[in-house]
Amino acid sequence: MCLAVPARVKSISGKTAEVEIGGTIYRANILLTPQVKVGDYVLLHTGYAIGVIDEDEAEQSLKMFREIESAHEIS
Amino acid sequence: MKFLDEYRDRGIGEKLLANIRRDSHRPVSFMEFCGSHTVSIFKYGLRQLLPSHIHMLSGPGCPVCVTAAQDIDRVIALAGLSGVVTVTFGDLVRVPGTRSSLQQSRAEGSDIRIVYSALEALDIARANPEKKVVLVGIGFETTAPTIAASLLSARKEDLRNYSVFSLHKLTPPAIRAILAAGETRLDGILCPGHVSVIIGTAPYRFIVEKYGIGCAVAGFEPLDMLLAISQLVGQAEAGRPEVAQSYGRAVRPEGNLAAVAVMNQVFEIAAANWRGLGNIPASGLRLREAFTGFDAEKNFAIPLSDSCEREGCLCGAVLRGVKTPLDCDLFGKVCTPVSPVGPCMVSSEGACAAYYQYGDRHG
């Protein structure tokens, strides 16, 4: 029910955006994410963009994941 | 797909698991509030991979599951009114009420339509001006802003045949109710990712400050959840609870202020009835007076009936984390996804459905 999927914004017209998920184009209402720009990734939930993905934060988290040393490697 | 696949990396997952095994020394119980987390935990086999002394308990974060029997009966009664088109999100139609279900009402001729979005409900209202189109609003803070946005659109267009029957519920009051009841000893809470996209992380402070246990907001991919579980383990082992999070790419500390503003413009906080938790003050959303014209509860005489839970169904106790589906005598025998007795078996994110579908049928 709280499922939301990252979708890339292709174009914006008024309160509606065309977004792409895995090659398929969907329409998304962007009333809840007024700051969204073309090229951003939004979280699409029941036809509405409910948030914008912070790509810098995503990159940092992936860097942190890649730098994790495991207990095996340490011991 | 970007922002999903990277967070399913097996090698990194194994490192996180090795660190959890290294750091976790004492038995702990964590509750995953959200039904989507329950499904992810099963789907990625995390229960089998985590040390056996880390217990993950399913919580009440399944909107269909926590809708009280009485509210199900009221929706069924609403659907029976003449000229009404009842619009609902999928799973709700199959939830057994006291005497019937929406599915049964539909078979008997009621106009009940299933949608994935409130936008479709608006389309149905536009296409059927002679009918009264009522969207059954279920869901937590993730969904409530979208329903609120649909009401703003309806008001702008003067779409007077559209209304909402609000059964929306709020996450923090349910967590508080479970911790206050103290029926289950919990060492940490895995907080819902997409609810937190809207409300941010501050509303969880009370978990640390009042109840002295930690919490971690998590996304739904395996690395998101393993990182959050390792944060919970670290906090529990060190005795230093805090509000942690592993979903920074989606969750800002302050949440989505625009969405909260839309939600607050349309809804106000009210008491709500929860299956399993009962009536909790200030735990739901009702339409503000300015939206009375769009409030199904005020515009239709929806009869109240004597409602009761199905005999033997442990769904309520499962939602509180007091019982697991395997404790229920009906589970997998009388109650299956094909003929569910309670909503936790109906909803794809219900704990019973997850236990059944992913094979943990025998403990």
Side-chain angles (χ1 to χ4, degrees):
Chain A
M1 182 78 205
C2 284
L3 189 73
V5 185
R8 198 167 73 88
V9 177
K10 304 272 286 182
S11 65
I12 294 172
S13 167
K15 289 286 170 232
T16 305
E18 276 198 342
V19 301
E20 185 213 323
I21 303 171
T24 307
I25 304 292
Y26 297 87
R27 300 185 81 186
N29 183 297
I30 53 166
L31 193 76
L32 304 173
T33 52
Q35 78 278 32
V36 75
K37 300 185 301 292
V38 172
D40 284 348
Y41 277 81
V42 293
L43 279 168
L44 186 64
H45 169 69
T46 67
Y48 287 82
I50 59 161
V52 181
I53 303 265
D54 183 334
E55 298 197 33
D56 293 338
E57 190 67 42
E59 195 43 57
Q60 273 178 38
S61 73
L62 287 172
K63 186 162 175 277
M64 183 275 297
F65 276 131
R66 284 191 289 263
E67 286 171 358
I68 289 174
E69 293 187 45
S70 82
H72 294 318
E73 291 168 8
I74 296 164
S75 57
Chain B
M1 282 184 285
K2 198 171 178 193
F3 300 118
L4 292 178
D5 295 338
E6 311 91 297
Y7 298 89
R8 294 174 184 164
D9 186 284
R10 186 180 175 137
I12 296 171
E14 281 171 356
K15 284 184 184 180
L16 283 166
L17 274 163
N19 291 355
I20 289 170
R21 285 192 205 102
R22 177 195 64 198
D23 297 339
S24 176
H25 304 293
R26 64 182 186 89
V28 281
S29 295
F30 301 137
M31 175 177 277
E32 81 270 7
F33 178 88
C34 176
S36 301
H37 276 151
T38 302
V39 171
S40 284
I41 285 168
F42 276 102
K43 194 164 123 188
Y44 296 109
L46 300 188
R47 277 164 62 98
Q48 285 77 15
L49 293 169
L50 288 167
S52 59
H53 61 269
I54 297 182
H55 303 284
M56 298 302 299
L57 296 171
S58 301
C62 160
V64 169
C65 305
V66 293
T67 303
Q70 188 174 59
D71 287 331
I72 298 285
D73 288 337
R74 290 165 78 207
V75 174
I76 293 168
L78 172 76
L81 299 177
S82 141
V84 168
V85 179
T86 307
V87 182
T88 163
F89 295 117
D91 290 336
L92 199 68
V93 297
R94 298 182 59 230
V95 177
T98 304
R99 277 170 287 277
S100 178
S101 70
L102 281 175
Q103 187 166 255
Q104 216 167 313
S105 305
R106 184 153 74 162
E108 288 160 10
S110 294
D111 193 344
I112 296 163
R113 308 197 195 177
I114 297 168
V115 296
Y116 289 99
S117 167
L119 296 169
E120 293 171 69
L122 289 173
D123 286 339
I124 293 170
R126 290 182 194 111
N128 297 276
E130 75 292 355
K131 299 270 178 69
K132 292 167 186 151
V133 175
V134 184
L135 175 64
V136 182
I138 61 166
F140 292 97
E141 293 91 333
T142 319
T143 311
T146 73
I147 308 296
S150 80
L151 286 163
L152 292 182
S153 300
R155 189 170 70 172
K156 202 169 165 189
E157 290 176 40
D158 203 19
L159 195 62
R160 294 194 186 190
N161 65 326
Y162 178 69
S163 61
V164 167
F165 185 27
S166 177
L167 298 172
H168 291 289
K169 295 187 171 55
L170 301 173
T171 302
I175 296 176
R176 190 187 297 272
I178 285 172
L179 292 175
E183 291 178 289
T184 311
R185 196 184 67 86
L186 292 172
D187 302 283
I189 307 278
L190 196 68
C191 294
H194 292 145
V195 162
S196 307
V197 167
I198 306 297
I199 69 173
T201 54
Y204 303 119
R205 290 290 325 160
F206 76 93
I207 299 173
V208 175
E209 286 162 8
K210 176 128 196 251
Y211 296 98
I213 61 170
C215 59
V217 174
F220 300 90
E221 301 310 316
L223 297 192
D224 295 324
M225 281 183 295
L226 286 172
L227 178 59
I229 291 168
S230 76
Q231 289 167 334
L232 291 176
V233 165
Q235 294 177 24
E237 291 286 338
R240 278 201 298 270
E242 56 177 311
V243 181
Q245 81 135 316
S246 71
Y247 201 28
R249 65 187 180 281
V251 174
R252 317 270 185 282
E254 72 280 11
N256 178 345
L257 297 176
V260 170
V262 167
M263 187 162 64
N264 289 342
Q265 188 184 344
V266 173
F267 292 116
E268 62 188 3
I269 292 173
N273 270 321
W274 296 65
R275 189 183 297 261
L277 297 171
N279 190 289
I280 307 177
S283 71
L285 295 172
R286 69 174 173 221
L287 273 71
R288 288 190 184 275
E289 213 165 301
F291 288 86
T292 297
F294 297 98
D295 189 345
E297 216 163 357
K298 298 210 176 115
N299 291 299
F300 298 97
I302 306 172
L304 276 178
S305 60
D306 293 332
S307 300
C308 58
E309 310 286 340
R310 292 294 178 98
E311 205 172 321
C313 175
L314 292 189
C315 193
V318 169
L319 291 166
R320 298 198 303 275
V322 178
K323 301 275 187 193
T324 77
L326 303 176
D327 296 323
C328 181
D329 289 337
L330 308 182
F331 177 81
K333 301 184 191 92
V334 180
C335 181
T336 65
V338 174
S339 65
V341 174
C344 300
M345 186 62 95
V346 172
S347 174
S348 54
E349 58 191 7
C352 299
Y355 271 70
Y356 191 89
Q357 184 180 350
Y358 293 99
D360 198 352
R361 298 183 199 175
H362 310 289

